[in-house]
């Protein structure tokens, strides 16, 4: 005990020196600690923080891979390996201090609750790039409830975007999977139950189709316990917002014709607690969308990732995101999701009609597909945020596109319906459009750049009288509508044409790095062929002796095989996974540590 007291006093003295000595030389006393994180620890004695590791991992080269499945597998393997390698010293120290923590790999970060001395100690690690607050409030894009009317045919947003005309072509979203990150979802609402991927018409399975990223009540919700509970294993909506957005993506129930892609399937993750969240809950859902898990967060499988995800939320300064540093993990996660083949659609925000009101994450990010809101007359909704982006000094053109977002009727919890207004309602129209495009041409799956370009090229041009940031409203794209309001029929027709264009695929195959590595007792890897050919996949020991053969046979073009190397009964050491065909040979090494 006396030794512990000495150690504690030493840490305090070290902390004092850490703050005072650099200050004498004009340096920031806590350059790695964000102001929000430091304020937290000063006010409460403890700080909920996100520890960012200095990772330079770049997944942009995955764009050349031929399939979404392969992009996701490669992204997952590389992100996991990078996180394991760089986080090890931090994890070890936190465990030694008996501090519970959560490790993320979608971004290389660790969340924990620490004292001032512990916070200062963590900031001394060479591998730590930044420590930010994990108390940031992530708020859903605020909505306005409108008077509700009974169903009278197809909802106006569906017909305005001509999605109903796409249906006459026999294209209603079949084969596509959309993902919702929101306040939860009433999975058995009549409008969306049949489309839930976990429902087969008789039985329900929530593993890999639902995850709850909310583990505690938000301090921004002081009104009692969450009505759904926390860390729940069955989908539930604690606010209505999530169920409403999902209805616009896929909803259909008799005369309630509310969804853009009524034959698409959906999966979901709750990232907000009654409309409020934290970076950790949002990152948990981003991570889950790249590699879905069972309801306990175990056994991730990137093969089950959706094609496109909806994000009707934002993080404003008054809610805990006062600087860009608090937004770093969100942008990194979006970039990694795109590299894995997932289209990331976000609402532009409801801070209009002034210029440069697209000012919150994630709408400001270059690779977030940001959506403005229009009304039934193709006019900009007064609340819809305008560009250009000035908060980061980029003058980036936002929003990217526009969609119906005023007086949108859709499903809510308890089996009802309501009309809401907001860019939260606009973004799901775009998600549904992506599902229709992939249903029309499955070859587009995973091709994020191509999908977004088709949506922009096919949009109905809309112009405005206002100029923002020196950009006239008559320009296309412009800071009010982006490239214009989505046109589903035109976009799907363009998507279909892509399938008739000759595509030259590289020859051979791709063998993904095994994960985990090192491993015990099993590790996973995949093989994807670019052309039909005979392939043998086997494992060899360091002496070149064959340990086991996984596969011998002919794989068709674009086929992916998933393998698990179970080394139970084998000795510690290095093994080699080898794939051979007539055109090439690839080898991956893997280390068994028992």
């Amino acid at each position: 005990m006396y030794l512990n007291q000495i150690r504690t006093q030493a840490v305090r003295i070290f902390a004092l020196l850490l703050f005072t000595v650099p200050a004498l030389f004009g340096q920031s006393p806590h350059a790695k600690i964000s102001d929000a994180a430091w304020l937290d620890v000063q006010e409460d004695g403890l700080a909920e923080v996100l520890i960012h590791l200095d990772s330079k991992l770049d997944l942009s080269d995955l764009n050349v891979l031929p399939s979404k499945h392969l992009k996701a597998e490669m992204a997952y393997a590389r992100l996991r390996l990078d996180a394991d390698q760089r986080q090890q010293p931090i994890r070890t120290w936190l465990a030694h201090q008996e501090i519970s923590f959560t490790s993320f790999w979608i971004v290389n970060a660790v969340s924990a609750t620490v004292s001032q001395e512990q916070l200062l100690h963590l900031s001394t690690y060479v591998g730590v790039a930044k420590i930010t607050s994990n108390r940031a409030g992530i708020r859903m894009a605020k909505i306005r409830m409108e008077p509700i009317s009974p169903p009278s045919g197809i909802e106006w947003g569906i017909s305005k975007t001509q999605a109903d005309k796409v249906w006459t072509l026999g294209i209603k979203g079949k084969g596509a999977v959309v993902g919702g990150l929101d306040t939860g979802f009433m999975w058995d609402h009549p409008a969306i139950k049949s489309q839930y991927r976990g429902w087969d018409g008789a039985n329900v399975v929530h593993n890999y189709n639902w995850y709850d990223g909310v583990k505690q009540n938000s301090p921004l919700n002081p009104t009692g316990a969450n009505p759904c509970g926390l860390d729940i294993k069955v989908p539930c909506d604690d606010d209505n917002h999530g169920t409403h957005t999902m209805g616009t993506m896929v909803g259909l129930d008799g005369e309630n014709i509310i969804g853009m892609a009524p034959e698409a399937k959906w999966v979901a993750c709750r990232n907000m607690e009654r409309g409020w969240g934290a970076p950790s809950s949002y990152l948990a859902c981003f991570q889950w969308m790249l590699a879905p898990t069972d309801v306990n967060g175990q056994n991730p499988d990137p093969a089950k990732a959706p094609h496109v995800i909806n994000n009707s939320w934002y993080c404003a300064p008054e809610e805990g995101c006062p600087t860009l540093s608090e937004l770093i993990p969100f942008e990194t996660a979006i970039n990694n999701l795109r590299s894995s083949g997932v289209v990331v659609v976000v609402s532009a925000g409801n801070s209009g009609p002034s210029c440069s009101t697209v000012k919150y994450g994630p709408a400001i990010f270059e690779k977030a597909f940001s959506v403005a809101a229009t009304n039934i007359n193709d006019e900009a909704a007064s609340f819809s945020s305008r560009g250009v982006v000035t908060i980061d000094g980029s003058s980036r053109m936002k929003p990217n596109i526009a969609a119906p977002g005023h007086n949108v009727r859709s499903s809510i919890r308890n089996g009802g319906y309501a009309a809401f207004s907001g860019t939260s309602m606009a973004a799901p129209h775009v998600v549904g459009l992506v599902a229709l495009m992939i249903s029309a041409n499955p070859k587009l799956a995973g091709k994020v750049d191509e999908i977004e370009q088709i949506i922009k090229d096919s949009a109905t041009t809309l112009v405005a009288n206002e100029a923002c940031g020196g950009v006239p409203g008559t320009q296309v794209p412009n800071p009010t509508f982006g490239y214009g309001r989505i046109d589903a029929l035109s976009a799907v027709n363009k998507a279909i044409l892509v399938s008739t264009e000759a595509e030259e695929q590289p020859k051979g195959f791709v063998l993904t790095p095994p994960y985990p590595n090192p491993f015990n007792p099993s590790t996973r890897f995949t093989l994807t062929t670019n052309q039909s050919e005979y392939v043998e996949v086997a494992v060899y020991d360091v002496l070149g002796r064959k340990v086991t053969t996984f596969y011998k046979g002919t794989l068709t073009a674009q086929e992916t095989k998933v393998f698990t190397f179970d080394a139970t009964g084998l000795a510690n050491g290095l093994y080699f996974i080898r794939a051979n065909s007539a055109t090439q040979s690839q080898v991956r090494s893997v280390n068994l540590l028992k």
Side-chain angles (χ1 to χ4, degrees), residues 436-438 440-441 444 454 490-500:
L436 291 175
M437 293 168 63
I438 292 173
N441 179 9
L444 281 173
I454 289 172
S490 178
V492 166
N493 281 331
K494 286 182 179 292
I496 292 171
L497 288 177
V498 172
S499 66
T500 65

Side-chain angles (χ1 to χ4, degrees), residues 142-262:
K142 297 184 178 87
I143 58 174
R144 307 179 186 187
M145 184 173 286
E146 308 286 343
I148 188 171
S149 57
S152 56
I154 297 172
E155 286 303 307
W156 77 267
I158 307 300
S159 56
K160 174 65 75 171
T161 60
Q162 300 197 84
D164 54 329
K165 293 183 179 178
V166 175
W167 302 344
T168 65
L169 303 176
I171 300 167
K172 297 183 178 180
K174 186 176 182 179
V177 180
V178 306
L181 303 88
D182 218 290
T183 61
F185 302 82
M186 180 185 174
W187 79 269
D188 55 354
H189 190 292
I192 62 175
K193 180 177 180 178
S194 295
Q195 296 89 318
Y196 180 48
R197 193 172 68 178
W199 174 251
D200 65 4
N203 303 290
V204 62
V205 176
H206 299 301
N207 287 327
Y208 298 99
N209 301 308
W210 162 259
Y211 182 69
D212 189 6
V214 176
K215 310 301 182 184
Q216 60 185 14
N217 286 325
S218 170
L220 300 172
N221 273 325
T223 56
N226 187 283
C228 290
L230 302 171
D231 195 18
I232 56 177
K233 311 307 179 185
V234 176
C236 177
D237 189 348
D238 62 30
D239 182 87
N240 279 327
H241 192 265
T243 303
H244 196 280
T245 59
M246 190 59 71
T248 300
M249 290 184 251
V250 302
L252 177 64
D253 174 33
E255 293 183 352
N256 293 293
I257 307 171
I258 57 176
M260 292 283 288

Side-chain angles (χ1 to χ4, degrees), residues 17-71:
L17 291 173
L18 185 69
F19 262 59
T20 56
V21 174
L24 296 176
F25 296 93
Q27 300 175 15
S28 171
H30 49 90
K32 289 184 179 181
I33 305 172
S34 74
D35 291 341
W38 186 242
L39 183 62
D40 282 349
V41 77
Q42 286 184 314
E43 288 182 344
D44 302 334
L46 293 174
E48 298 176 26
V49 298
L50 199 62
I51 307 154
H52 308 258
L53 281 301
D54 186 14
S55 174
K56 299 293 189 284
L57 185 64
D58 182 6
L59 301 181
S60 59
D61 60 318
L62 301 186
N63 190 52
V64 301
L65 296 177
S67 71
K68 180 184 182 302
H69 189 152
L70 183 54
K71 288 179 181 179

Side-chain angles (χ1 to χ4, degrees), residues 354-476:
S354 298
C355 295
S356 297
T357 46
V358 179
K359 57 183 179 180
Y360 304 135
I364 64 172
F365 302 141
E366 179 181 356
K367 293 186 177 181
F369 204 53
S370 306
V371 187
T374 58
N375 64 21
I376 197 168
N377 297 317
D378 269 342
E379 300 164 335
S382 61
F383 54 78
S384 186
S385 293
R386 271 71 161 172
V388 293
V389 177
T390 58
I391 188 174
D392 60 359
S394 68
S395 294
R396 184 179 301 118
M397 180 63 71
K398 289 287 179 176
N400 300 96
I401 205 73
H406 178 263
N407 198 14
V408 174
R409 185 177 181 277
S410 187
S411 47
I412 58 173
R413 59 182 179 171
N414 300 322
Y417 295 85
F420 291 165
S421 291
T423 54
S424 282
M425 287 60 254
H429 283 86
V430 179
V431 173
L433 170 55
V434 174
L436 291 175
M437 293 168 63
I438 292 173
S439 181
N441 179 9
K443 287 187 178 181
L444 281 173
K447 297 184 178 179
V448 179
D449 291 337
E450 290 90 331
I451 289 170
E452 292 181 355
Q453 193 61 52
I454 289 172
I455 293 174
K456 292 185 290 189
D457 290 345
S458 63
T460 298
T461 299
L462 297 178
V463 296
N465 295 326
E466 56 196 354
C468 288
V471 180
T474 54
Q475 174 181 303
V476 179

